[in-house]
Amino acid sequence: MEKSEIVKNLNALFKKRSEFYSFFDENIEKLQNTEVFDFKNAKDLNAEEIYKLFYHYDYAIRKILPAIYKAYKITSVDLEKDF
């Protein structure tokens, strides 16, 4: 994979990550004087909408992984199997 493609995929990953966390910022208050989400007092969220955002974020991660594996010569032998 060319550097330009990797950079493109990284930018897509960072954009999807930002969208994912923006959803929480818009829908869940934070504990006073912190950056910690107050899930206990959060309103009900749309699980389908959360899944959609997470799926796009996860897809962006999976898209860049092959280039990372190749660059660092990572194989399945290197990875733990407990996930």
Side-chain angles (χ1 to χ4, degrees):
M1 188 176 284
E2 295 292 321
K3 180 179 177 180
S4 61
E5 187 67 21
I6 293 171
V7 170
K8 178 182 167 185
N9 287 342
L10 282 171
N11 285 323
L13 168 63
F14 297 144
K15 180 180 177 188
K16 292 302 177 185
R17 180 184 186 276
S18 178
E19 290 171 3
F20 184 68
Y21 283 105
S22 289
F23 175 83
F24 286 106
D25 287 335
E26 294 166 8
N27 291 283
I28 303 171
E29 297 290 326
K30 293 186 178 170
L31 295 171
Q32 191 172 16
N33 299 320
T34 72
E35 289 298 312
V36 178
F37 291 111
D38 185 3
F39 288 105
K40 183 177 178 182
N41 293 309
K43 62 182 181 178
D44 290 334
L45 299 176
N46 180 325
E48 184 177 1
E49 189 173 1
I50 295 169
Y51 176 78
K52 179 182 173 185
L53 289 168
F54 178 77
Y55 178 84
H56 290 293
Y57 176 41
D58 184 60
Y59 178 77
I61 292 169
R62 288 182 283 120
K63 192 170 181 178
I64 193 78
L65 284 178
I68 294 170
Y69 291 170
K70 182 177 179 182
Y72 291 96
K73 297 181 171 88
I74 297 169
T75 67
S76 62
V77 173
D78 298 312
L79 303 174
E80 295 180 13
K81 304 295 184 206
D82 62 347
F83 50 89

